[in-house]
Amino acid sequence: MDDVLLTDKNPLPDVLPERLAAQLRFVVEVDRLKTVVRQSPLVAAERRENDAEHSWHLALMVILLAEYADEPIDVGRTVQLVVVHDLIEIHAGDTPLYDTVGAETQVEREQAAADRLFGLLPADQAKRFRDLWDEFEARQTPEARFAKAMDRLEPLLLNWMSRGGTWHTPGVTADVVRARKSVIADASAALGEAARAVIDEGERRGWLRPSP
Amino acid sequence: MDDVLLTDKNPLPDVLPERLAAQLRFVVEVDRLKTVVRQSPLVAAERRENDAEHSWHLALMVILLAEYADEPIDVGRTVQLVVVHDLIEIHAGDTPLYDTVGAETQVEREQAAADRLFGLLPADQAKRFRDLWDEFEARQTPEARFAKAMDRLEPLLLNWMSRGGTWHTPGVTADVVRARKSVIADASAALGEAARAVIDEGERRGWLRPSP
C-alpha cells in the first residue's frame, strides 16, 4: 500500500475546520481495517474474519465477561483498548498467532505502522491513541491483560466452532495452543480454565494434534 | 432464521459452569452480526458494510470525536452503547434509514428481537444489555445522543466517499437527508455543521438530488 489516503481520491469539503478535517480523514482511512483479513473462520458464514469484525467481537466480550476478571477492571477503558488494538494492522498486516516467521519482524513492523497511522491525527490525539495501543501491547494494567485475554479467547471459540480452524496450521499441537492461550489465565482463572477445557476436548476429539 | 443456535450444531464442552456456558453461547451466537449487511458501501472495498464492522467504526468515532459533544459524555459508556446498539438486527434485520415501509414495523420487530436475543443471557445480564439498548434508542442521555449522532455521521461519510451511495435511493432528496441527519446537531453543533457542509456540497455536486 502506498501513502495515498482514501480521502485523497475524494477530499472532504474544504470548509471543515482543519482539526476536524484531520479527524474525519482518519475516520475514513480506518475503513481499511474492514479489509484486513485474519486466519480465523467465522461461525455464521463461510469466510474468514476481518479485523474490524474481530475488534467489535472483543468489545462485546469485554462487556459480557468482565465479571471474570481477577482484578477489578474499568470496562469502558478496556473496551477502548480492544477497539484500537488492531488499527496498526492497516499498515502492518495481521500476523497470525502461529506464524513464527512473521513474529520475528512483528514488533518493528507494528511500531512503524503506528507512527504512520497515528501520525495522521492531531498531535494530542496521536499520543492518546498511541498510549492506548502501547498499554494494550505492554499488558501491565489489569485492563490490558483482560483485553489481551479476549484477543486470545475469541479465536479459540471460532476454532472450536469450525472443528479446528487454525489449529490445523502446520507445526501447531495442543501444547503450542496451551502455551499461546496461557495469557487468558493471567487475566482470569475462570476463563483460563474454560480455555483449557476447550483445548483439552479439542485434542481428545482429534481437532487439534496431540503434542509429540 | 429459526431458533437453532450456532452452538446447537457443535456444543461447547459440557464441563463449563452453566452461567459461563450461557455467556459463551451468546458470544458465538452474535457472530451472526457479521452477516447482517447494511446499505452503506465501504470506502476501502467494493462491497457493502456489515453491522459488526459498522458498530466497530462507531466505537472508534466515539473515542476520536468525543471532544465535540456539547454536553460532557462518559466515553467508555458511550462506546458500550454503540457496541450493543445493532445486536437486535441479528433477528430484526437492518432497516435502512430511507426505508419508510420497513420503518412502520421497525419498533415492534426490534422489541421482539431484543426479547429473543437477550433472553439467551443470564437474567441480570439480559437486563443490562436491554438497558444499554433502551438507553441508545431513547436518546435521553448525553451518551445516547452522541452514540446516535455517530450512527448517522458514519454512513454520511461513506456516502460522500462513494459520491452518493444510499443518497441515490428513490425518493431521497437533500432535504430528506438534512432532516434525517438533524440528530447529529442534537449532540454536537460542530459535527452538525460538518454534516450540513457535506450534504450541501453533495447536493451542489449532484451526488444528492435537490429538493423539489
Side-chain angles (χ1 to χ4, degrees), chain A residues 19 23 31 43 57 67-68, chain B residues 19 23 31 43 67-68:
Chain A
R19 181 176 169 89
Q23 291 163 322
D31 199 64
V43 184
H57 214 156
E67 68 189 66
Y68 296 104
Chain B
R19 180 176 170 90
Q23 291 162 323
D31 199 64
V43 185
E67 68 189 66
Y68 296 105

Side-chain angles (χ1 to χ4, degrees), chain B residues 45-84:
Chain B
E46 292 282 329
R47 63 171 175 86
R48 291 188 294 158
E49 185 180 44
N50 68 55
D51 267 348
E53 297 169 324
H54 165 71
S55 299
W56 166 78
H57 213 157
L58 301 196
L60 188 86
M61 289 171 69
V62 168
I63 301 172
L64 196 69
L65 301 175
E67 68 189 66
Y68 296 105
D70 289 336
E71 301 165 280
I73 59 169
D74 178 328
V75 172
R77 181 165 181 83
T78 311
V79 172
Q80 292 180 62
L81 291 175
V82 300
V83 166
V84 168

Side-chain angles (χ1 to χ4, degrees), chain A residues 95-111:
Chain A
T95 304
L97 189 58
Y98 305 114
D99 173 4
T100 48
V101 176
E104 285 174 18
T105 60
Q106 187 176 6
V107 171
E108 194 180 337
R109 281 184 294 115
E110 293 192 345
Q111 292 287 342

Side-chain angles (χ1 to χ4, degrees), chain A:
Chain A
M1 189 168 61
D2 52 32
D3 271 301
V4 175
L5 298 184
L6 291 171
T7 44
D8 288 344
K9 295 174 204 161
N10 186 25
L12 296 167
D14 55 16
V15 296
L16 301 176
E18 181 43 37
R19 181 176 169 89
L20 178 56
Q23 291 163 322
L24 295 184
R25 283 193 296 269
F26 185 86
V27 167
V28 172
E29 190 63 19
V30 300
D31 199 64
R32 295 189 195 267
L33 200 68
K34 302 166 189 172
T35 70
V36 179
V37 178
R38 295 167 50 81
Q39 296 295 316
S40 307
L42 294 190
V43 184
E46 292 284 327
R47 62 172 174 86
R48 292 188 292 159
E49 187 181 43
N50 68 54
D51 267 347
E53 297 170 324
H54 165 71
S55 298
W56 167 79
H57 214 156
L58 301 196
L60 188 87
M61 289 170 68
V62 168
I63 301 172
L64 196 71
L65 301 175
E67 68 189 66
Y68 296 104
D70 289 336
E71 300 165 281
I73 59 169
D74 177 329
V75 173
R77 181 165 182 85
T78 312
V79 172
Q80 292 180 61
L81 292 175
V82 300
V83 166
V84 168
H85 88 288
D86 268 345
L87 275 178
I88 51 90
E89 295 192 357
I90 286 173
H91 294 305
D94 177 53
T95 304
L97 189 58
Y98 305 114
D99 173 4
T100 48
V101 176
E104 285 174 18
T105 60
Q106 187 176 6
V107 171
E108 194 180 337
R109 281 184 294 115
E110 293 192 345
Q111 292 287 342
D115 291 343
R116 185 169 158 198
L117 184 69
F118 298 143
L120 299 175
L121 289 170
D124 61 311
Q125 281 203 318
K127 179 174 185 319
R128 173 134 177 267
F129 273 71
R130 181 65 185 241
D131 286 349
L132 284 168
W133 182 63
D134 285 343
E135 179 178 343
F136 175 84
E137 288 291 315
R139 275 189 276 155
Q140 296 299 308
T141 62
E143 284 79 10
R145 277 190 288 274
F146 197 78
K148 194 75 172 187
M150 297 302 100
D151 193 32
R152 293 286 162 88
L153 181 58
E154 190 244 16
L156 186 80
L157 292 170
L158 298 185
N159 279 343
W160 170 270
M161 290 305 300
S162 74
R163 299 176 159 81
T166 67
W167 291 342
H168 298 308
T169 306
V172 173
T173 63
D175 277 354
V176 170
V177 176
R178 278 186 196 99
R180 291 288 205 285
K181 302 297 176 181
S182 64
V183 299
I184 299 173
D186 293 343
S188 165
L191 296 180
E193 251 181 66
R196 192 82 182 199
V198 168
I199 296 166
D200 290 351
E201 183 64 19
E203 182 179 11
R204 209 185 59 77
R205 295 190 189 186
W207 299 345
L208 181 51
R209 273 185 296 280
S211 300

